[in-house]
């Protein structure tokens, strides 16, 4: 939606809506170019807003056909953003407002509101898409029961709630649970269902369906299994039962994000539903399980209890991410899950927090709310809940959650409500803790230690860096989980949570017989940058002996980063790093998935972030070269062991997506990557030829491409999978992400010239533009060609799909890290984007913030 002068919305301006909506009845007469939407709203004055009030309804791009109040036609003319009914047109009691509008779903390329994807109608209303369907108070605190009638010549017609009646060409649905408009959904298509059943704890039967295009039904089993496990888990762990007779999931190919939790009718990007061993990698399986769970868990955390306004987004997203992380940990491995989550947090959220787009977990203003579905709201929002749980304990957390569901069921709540529940359930004062919600930025936790007369002391100092609009901040409450390990590897002080509330604080451990080695910030107990200079000996010791799996991994990680930081300045890699890492990799008592994570070298972007945080100017080409040297040294060190390890890890018979098997494949893949550095691609070529599943096939192909090989294999892959868009996205992505830095832009240019580069499809667009920005040295190459390429494509996508274009623009959020030439080139591209006439509100806000 074009918007010449986008307005800023402020949290402090919140007011309840003028009216309450008691009931919504919608009729859709579907037609691609001219769908009619009849809305019958039963409204009443809101006692919270006394006096006669105008009724303002949101609406964008709607052709108004008629408008009636209690059956009487009223002459009103909509403006660009909605419709106002003056107070004198409205009775001072309950009344019925009927509108009829016309919309054109086939012309909707923004994929927000009602749109079409491969002949199927589908909706996406969060955050503000419902206003593109009908005139309505499109805000989350207006909750109402919805009845929906769909008329259309497609065989499957779905909406929220329970099915009421259907006949040829029509269907009626009734959702008894009051909901905000952002949870409305409609789907109409020629679809088939993969069906299942679930019996709730109280004995109600729920029909489950995953609706897909014909031919995809046999790729739904894993998603269905994940759904059933999610439903059982939420009953067992949170005491939350499902509350309708039916739960539908629909897979769609054109979708701006992962999935959407519409009440009783979740809509998914098909890449997060469809899986078979031949087409999905182990990572895909894990993501499907997590996203199915996430959307299902929203039924309680998001739908039954929703957000008062969009500033409270983390109330549902942070909590639901936290819940899906717990679930995945229970299903798989808590240690591995925690490491993966922290890798993601650092790669996305720390990156965001350290740049011009930094914002609090609960922002206090926005121009376009879609720009705030961020790693900060989601992932840092989940970390904040993890800290809260650690501070109040598992029992306190369980009591608080029970109280939250009791007290706020059916309501639109706030972060204040959430914290009050914890205060009431546990008696703890959370005034200071609330800063985690209101202040942006990643705290830096500096640690020093001393040892004297049997007393070991840890000295902590926290720094809360300035972020846009927030120059000065108070100290945060930091739960710092610490354990002390004796020289023989025994734990002399088991994990203890130190609560830091001041800028500087020391904690002493008395009565020790010898100097211990401290394991600090176990389980990554607070989302901070830990600045604790350690000796090589301590790092080696912790990598070998730490009983906390996160910190065991972290010891190797910190060690690798220190080595890389020295190597970019030309220093040699220390053989003690290689030897220490090899010991972990060769330790058969350790989980293969954990060993695979230890083998994963810090990414180039992670190193750039780390060097920048240490006050240096990162040089992308040098970082890339140092990481390649480090990988080669590790490969050479492990060379004698590689053939044996690879043989031991060969697939034992039929494919299973289980965590245990996936872990073996991950380790094998990491070792194959090392082998490919040494053997001219022979092992990877063989692995590619023998692969009977996508994990192994794509893994082998990645090894080849990463070493400038694999032309024949890429061609064979494309020939086999050209009819499968989700698989072909991987093919696009891989070639660019793993291209040699000086070739990445050229590879991307060649790929966008292919007829199969359907750039209006968000998955395909991301698989090219996202892959180029993920190729750190390629994107940041010195002549600026990477920047120009990405900017060109953002400008092209913006008028078609501003939401996805704005999201992809975060490729540029790190520009301040780099040297003057690069910074200037990025700024020039950002200014070029900003100068584009008719630039979307989404992009205007993002680029404006990035330029600062
Ligand atoms: N709530 C949706 C995200 C909506 C994004 C709107 N731009 C999916 C999720 O977080 O579960
Ligand atoms: Zn969510």
């Amino acid at each position: 939606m074009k918007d010449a002068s986008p307005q800023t919305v402020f949290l402090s301006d919140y007011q309840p809506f003028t009216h309450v909506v008691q009931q919504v009845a919608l009729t859709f007469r579907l037609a691609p170019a001219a769908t009619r939407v009849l809305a019958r709203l039963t409204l009443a004055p809101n006692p919270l807003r006394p006096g006669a009030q105008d009724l303002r309804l949101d609406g964008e791009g709607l052709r108004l056909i008629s408008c009636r109040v209690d059956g009487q036609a009223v002459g009103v003319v909509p403006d660009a953003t909605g419709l106002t009914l003056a107070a004198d047109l409205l009775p001072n009691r309950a009344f019925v407002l009927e509108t009829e509008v016309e919309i054109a779903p086939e012309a909707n390329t923004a994929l927000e509101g009602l749109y079409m994807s491969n002949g199927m109608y589908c909706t996406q209303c969060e955050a503000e898409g419902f206003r593109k369907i009908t005139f309505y108070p499109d805000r989350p605190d207006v909750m109402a029961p919805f009845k929906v009638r769909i008329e259309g010549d497609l065989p499957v017609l779905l909406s929220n709630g329970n099915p009421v009646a259907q006949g040829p060409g029509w269907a009626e649905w009734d959702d008894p649970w009051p909901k905000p408009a952002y949870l409305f959904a409609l789907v109409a298509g020629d679809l088939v269902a993969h069906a299942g059943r679930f019996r709730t704890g109280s004995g109600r039967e729920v029909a489950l369906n995953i609706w897909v295009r014909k031919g995809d039904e046999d790729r739904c089993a894993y998603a269905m299994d994940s759904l059933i496990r999610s439903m059982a888990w939420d009953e067992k762990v949170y005491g939350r039962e499902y509350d309708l007779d039916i739960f539908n999931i629909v897979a769609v190919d054109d979708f701006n994000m992962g999935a959407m939790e519409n009440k009783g009718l979740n809509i998914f990007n098909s890449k997060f539903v469809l899986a078979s061993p031949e087409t999905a990698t182990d990572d895909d399986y894990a993501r499907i399980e997590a996203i199915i769970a996430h959307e299902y868990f929203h039924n309680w955390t998001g739908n039954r209890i929703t957000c008062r306004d969009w500033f409270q987004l983390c109330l549902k997203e942070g909590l639901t991410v936290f819940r899906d992380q717990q679930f995945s940990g229970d299903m798989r491995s808590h240690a591995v899950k925690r490491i993966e989550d922290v890798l993601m947090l650092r790669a996305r959220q720390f990156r965001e927090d350290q740049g011009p787009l930094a914002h609090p977990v609960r922002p206090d203003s926005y121009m376009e709310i879609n720009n705030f579905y961020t790693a900060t709201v989601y992932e840092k929002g989940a970390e904040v809940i993890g800290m809260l749980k650690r501070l109040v304990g598992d029992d306190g957390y369980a009591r608080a959650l029970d109280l939250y569901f009791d007290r706020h069921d059916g309501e639109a709540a706030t972060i204040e409500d959430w914290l009050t529940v914890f205060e009431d359930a546990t008696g703890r004062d959370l005034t200071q803790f609330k800063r985690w919600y209101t202040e942006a930025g990643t705290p830096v936790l500096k640690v020093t230690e001393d040892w004297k007369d049997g007393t070991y002391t840890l000295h902590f100092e926290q720094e809360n860096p300035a972020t846009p609009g927030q120059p000065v901040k108070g100290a945060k409450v930091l739960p710092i989980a610490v354990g002390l390990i004796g020289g023989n590897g025994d734990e002399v002080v088991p994990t203890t949570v130190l609560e830091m509330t001041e800028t500087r604080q020391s904690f002493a451990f008395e009565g020790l017989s010898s100097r211990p080695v401290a394991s600090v910030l176990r389980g990554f107990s607070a989302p901070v940058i830990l600045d604790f200079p350690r000796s090589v000996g301590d790092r080696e010791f912790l990598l070998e002996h730490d009983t906390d799996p996160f910190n065991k991994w972290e010891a190797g990680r910190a060690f690798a980063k220190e080595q890389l930081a020295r190597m970019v300045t030309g220093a040699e890699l220390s053989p003690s790093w290689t030897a220490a890492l090899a010991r972990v990799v060769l330790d058969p008592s350790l989980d293969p998935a954990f060993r695979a994570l230890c083998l994963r070298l810090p990414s180039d972007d992670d190193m750039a972030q780390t060097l920048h945080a240490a006050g240096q100017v990162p040089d992308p080409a040098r970082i890339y070269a140092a990481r390649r040297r480090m990988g080669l040294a590790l490969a050479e060190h492990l060379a004698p062991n590689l053939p044996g390890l690879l043989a031991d890890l060969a697939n034992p018979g039929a494919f299973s997506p289980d965590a245990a098997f996936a872990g073996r494949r991950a380790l094998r893949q990491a070792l194959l990557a090392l082998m490919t550095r040494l053997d001219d691609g022979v092992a990877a070529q063989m692995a590619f030829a023998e692969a009977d599943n996508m994990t192994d096939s794509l893994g082998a192909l990645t090894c080849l491409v990463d070493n400038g090989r694999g032309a024949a294999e890429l061609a064979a892959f494309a020939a086999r999978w050209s009819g499968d868009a989700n698989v072909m996205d991987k093919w696009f992505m891989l070639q660019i992400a793993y291209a040699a830095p000086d070739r990445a832009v050229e590879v991307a240019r060649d790929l966008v010239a292919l007829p199969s580069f359907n750039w209006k499809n968000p998955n395909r667009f991301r698989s090219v533009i996202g892959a180029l920005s993920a190729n750190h040295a390629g994107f940041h190459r010195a002549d600026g060609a990477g920047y120009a390429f990405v900017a060109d494509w953002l400008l092209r996508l913006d008028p078609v799909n501003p939401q996805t274009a704005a999201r992809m623009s975060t490729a540029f959020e790190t520009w301040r890290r780099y040297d003057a030439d690069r910074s200037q080139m990025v700024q020039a591209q950002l200014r070029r984007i900003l100068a584009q006439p008719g630039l979307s509100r989404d992009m205007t806000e993002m680029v404006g913030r990035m330029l600062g």
Side-chain angles (χ1 to χ4, degrees):
M1 183 56 38
K2 298 283 193 290
D3 196 333
S5 58
Q7 298 295 303
T8 300
V9 185
F10 294 93
L11 167 60
S12 53
D13 287 346
Y14 175 81
Q15 279 210 332
F17 189 54
T18 51
H19 293 73
V20 286
V21 182
Q22 297 174 338
Q23 176 71 50
V24 179
L26 301 173
T27 299
F28 287 82
R29 302 205 171 113
L30 296 174
T35 289
R36 287 288 171 105
V37 185
L38 290 77
R40 187 174 191 279
L41 313 181
T42 310
L43 293 144
N46 186 348
L48 295 174
R49 296 285 303 270
Q53 303 277 354
D54 292 355
L55 172 63
R56 172 71 186 173
L57 301 173
D58 302 300
E60 281 176 18
L62 309 173
R63 190 163 82 82
L64 182 63
I65 310 287
S66 67
C67 178
R68 288 172 207 281
V69 174
D70 282 341
Q72 295 296 310
V74 288
V76 280
V77 181
D79 54 51
T81 61
L83 183 65
T84 301
L85 287 124
D88 58 12
L89 289 173
L90 306 170
N92 195 20
R93 51 161 169 80
F95 61 94
V96 173
L97 173 74
E98 290 164 289
T99 59
E100 180 170 357
V101 301
E102 191 178 281
I103 52 179
E106 73 175 5
N108 181 352
T109 57
L111 315 183
E112 196 185 39
L114 178 66
Y115 66 94
M116 301 197 74
S117 170
N118 303 326
M120 147 183 174
Y121 293 84
C122 112
T123 55
Q124 171 55 37
C125 292
E126 189 178 359
E128 297 182 332
F130 194 70
R131 64 189 61 188
K132 297 180 169 185
I133 294 175
T134 192
F135 288 103
Y136 196 78
D138 190 6
R139 39 186 288 165
D141 59 344
V142 173
M143 299 173 80
F146 279 59
K147 289 184 199 300
V148 176
R149 178 181 166 87
I150 310 169
E151 298 171 11
D153 56 4
L154 286 157
V156 177
L157 306 171
L158 307 173
S159 191
N160 315 88
N162 294 316
V164 179
Q166 59 176 317
W170 63 275
E172 290 178 1
W173 292 82
D174 183 358
D175 184 0
W177 299 103
K179 67 165 177 289
Y182 82 85
L183 291 172
F184 167 81
L186 175 151
V187 167
D190 189 3
L191 302 170
V192 288
H194 174 108
R197 297 202 73 75
F198 183 79
R199 194 182 167 84
T200 68
S202 66
R204 278 183 319 98
E205 288 289 332
V206 183
L208 311 176
N209 293 298
I210 300 181
W211 296 94
V212 295
R213 236 193 330 237
K214 285 195 180 91
D216 285 339
E217 339 44 304
D218 55 350
R219 294 193 196 173
C220 301
Y222 191 74
M224 179 60 79
D225 179 55
S226 303
L227 174 61
I228 291 170
R229 284 184 284 118
S230 304
M231 295 176 89
W233 186 92
D234 213 17
E235 289 190 359
K236 184 168 151 251
V237 179
Y238 280 83
R240 298 296 113 201
E241 256 191 40
Y242 187 61
D243 53 4
L244 291 167
D245 304 337
I246 189 165
F247 188 83
N248 284 314
I249 290 176
V250 180
V252 52
D253 289 330
D254 297 282
F255 206 62
N256 278 335
M257 63 255 175
M260 178 63 210
E261 69 262 25
N262 317 296
K263 182 81 189 190
L265 178 53
N266 286 188
I267 298 181
F268 271 65
N269 188 323
S270 59
K271 82 184 227 176
F272 296 119
V273 176
L274 303 177
S276 69
E278 296 73 35
T279 58
T281 63
D282 289 322
D283 287 345
D284 292 328
Y285 277 97
R287 262 194 292 270
I288 289 169
E289 178 179 74
I291 298 179
I292 290 271
H294 180 97
E295 306 310 335
Y296 175 72
F297 296 159
H298 267 315
N299 190 54
W300 274 94
T301 51
N303 301 3
R304 289 283 287 252
I305 305 179
T306 193
C307 302
R308 187 193 72 173
D309 52 69
W310 289 121
F311 297 101
Q312 322 295 330
L313 184 58
C314 63
L315 180 75
K316 73 178 178 84
E317 296 304 349
L319 177 54
T320 306
V321 170
F322 182 71
R323 276 151 51 68
D324 85 53
Q325 291 174 346
Q326 287 182 301
F327 169 78
S328 293
D330 281 356
M331 296 297 124
R332 292 165 177 259
S333 146
H334 284 283
V336 168
K337 178 65 180 156
R338 187 65 186 140
I339 295 165
E340 286 171 344
D341 288 343
V342 173
L343 276 168
M344 228 261 270
L345 184 79
R346 287 176 174 154
R348 297 190 37 222
Q349 201 279 323
F350 282 21
R351 167 180 155 124
E352 182 167 79
D353 238 358
Q354 285 161 43
L357 297 177
H359 56 275
V361 171
R362 183 174 71 178
D364 37 37
S365 69
Y366 61 78
M367 257 179 218
E368 169 52 62
I369 187 57
N370 282 326
N371 287 336
F372 284 83
Y373 287 74
T374 59
T376 297
V377 169
Y378 276 65
E379 271 75 37
K380 187 174 177 184
E383 291 299 315
V384 171
I385 295 176
M387 285 190 286
L388 204 47
K389 181 163 182 280
R390 216 181 263 271
L391 290 168
V392 302
D394 293 353
D395 291 347
Y397 179 78
R399 282 200 307 281
L401 268 284
D402 286 346
L403 184 58
Y404 179 63
F405 293 122
D406 278 356
R407 190 180 279 177
H408 295 293
D409 186 13
E411 290 181 8
T414 61
I415 287 303
E416 282 73 16
D417 294 328
W418 165 254
L419 290 173
T420 302
V421 152
F422 275 79
E423 293 187 324
D424 292 352
T426 67
R428 202 185 160 101
D429 179 355
L430 293 171
T431 314
Q432 186 185 358
F433 186 82
K434 192 178 173 188
R435 287 181 187 151
W436 278 110
Y437 285 100
T438 56
E439 293 184 352
T442 308
V444 178
L445 182 61
K446 298 191 166 179
V447 189
T448 54
E449 55 185 343
D450 64 53
W451 164 250
K452 202 170 151 208
D453 302 334
T455 297
Y456 177 79
T457 308
L458 283 166
H459 305 285
F460 295 100
E461 179 181 348
Q462 57 169 302
E463 271 173 16
N464 288 280
T467 49
Q470 295 188 323
V472 187
K473 291 164 193 174
K476 301 277 188 309
V477 181
L478 301 181
I480 308 172
V482 169
L484 300 184
I485 304 172
N488 59 357
D490 287 350
E491 195 150 80
V492 290
V493 174
T495 305
T496 309
V497 179
L498 310 176
E499 273 183 49
M500 183 178 188
T501 53
E502 287 154 36
T503 302
R504 277 185 205 81
Q505 240 169 309
S506 298
F507 297 86
F509 299 86
E510 294 167 356
L512 301 171
S513 55
S514 60
R515 183 196 176 102
V517 179
S519 168
V520 175
L521 209 67
R522 285 188 154 177
F524 204 63
S525 59
V528 300
I529 295 170
L530 187 65
D531 178 2
F532 187 4
R534 313 293 297 255
S535 66
V536 163
D538 280 359
R539 299 260 188 245
E540 284 174 322
F541 181 87
L542 290 168
L543 181 56
E544 188 159 352
H545 295 293
D546 204 322
T547 53
D548 179 74
F550 177 83
N551 264 6
K552 184 179 174 74
W553 169 82
E554 179 78 327
R557 187 77 174 180
F559 198 176
K561 281 189 175 181
E562 279 159 6
Q563 290 297 314
L564 274 172
R566 296 177 59 246
M567 289 168 77
V568 294
T569 66
E572 287 302 314
L573 174 64
S574 157
S576 57
W577 176 79
T578 333
L581 203 69
R583 280 197 292 280
V584 174
V585 173
L586 295 171
D587 182 346
S589 72
L590 295 170
D591 176 5
F594 178 84
R595 288 148 74 195
L597 284 170
C598 291
L599 271 172
R600 212 194 277 179
L601 302 184
S603 73
D604 291 5
D605 191 68
D606 189 358
M607 277 316 293
Q609 182 187 110
T610 305
L611 293 174
H612 173 68
Q616 294 168 40
V617 177
D619 178 334
R622 280 171 165 269
I623 294 174
Y624 174 82
R627 181 174 54 81
R628 295 291 292 179
R629 274 199 286 142
M630 183 176 236
L632 183 60
L634 188 60
E636 284 167 348
H637 185 91
L638 282 168
N641 308 93
L642 288 175
L645 282 169
L646 285 168
D648 289 350
L649 289 162
N651 275 331
F655 179 92
S656 159
D658 282 9
F661 290 99
R664 290 169 58 97
R665 282 188 289 270
L667 180 55
R668 201 162 91 107
Q669 170 62 21
L671 297 168
L672 186 63
L674 296 179
M675 185 68 137
T676 312
R677 298 297 303 276
L678 307 172
D679 77 345
D680 295 333
V682 173
Q685 272 162 353
M686 204 186 300
F688 181 81
E690 286 171 358
D692 63 356
N693 63 78
M694 183 52 70
T695 306
D696 291 343
S697 173
L698 196 72
L701 196 53
T702 304
C703 293
L704 293 169
V705 173
D706 195 30
N707 289 284
R709 304 176 185 278
E713 288 78 6
L714 281 167
F717 189 97
R720 173 154 182 209
W721 296 114
S722 61
D724 188 316
N726 289 328
V727 175
M728 286 306 285
D729 286 338
K730 302 178 194 299
W731 180 87
F732 276 90
M733 168 87 73
L734 152 81
Q735 295 179 70
I736 303 169
Y738 290 89
D742 58 348
R743 296 246 317 120
V745 174
E746 283 68 26
V747 173
R749 261 187 213 135
D750 289 349
L751 290 177
V752 297
L754 297 178
S756 54
F757 180 61
N758 168 17
W759 59 275
K760 292 183 182 170
N761 174 270
N763 290 358
R764 186 60 44 96
F765 188 89
R766 275 189 289 264
S767 66
V768 169
I769 308 308
L772 182 57
S773 32
N775 186 323
H776 185 259
F779 178 57
H780 291 286
R781 81 182 211 193
D783 65 0
Y787 305 148
F789 182 88
V790 171
D792 285 348
W793 277 100
L794 294 180
L795 281 170
R796 187 147 176 201
L797 186 64
D798 185 63
V800 170
N801 185 337
Q803 200 180 129
T804 292
R807 172 153 285 247
M808 301 304 296
S809 75
T810 56
F812 291 119
E813 74 182 319
T814 57
W815 65 268
R816 282 199 178 85
R817 288 178 187 163
Y818 300 95
D819 54 85
D821 285 350
R822 285 187 172 88
S823 305
Q824 269 152 27
M825 286 188 290
V826 175
Q827 288 178 77
Q829 295 299 342
L830 290 174
R831 279 196 290 268
R832 175 162 78 99
I833 295 173
L834 208 52
Q836 177 85 353
L839 194 70
S840 69
R841 176 173 65 214
D842 312 53
M843 193 67 106
T844 303
E845 178 178 39
M846 292 297 275
V847 175
R849 283 164 63 209
M850 282 190 277
L851 282 169

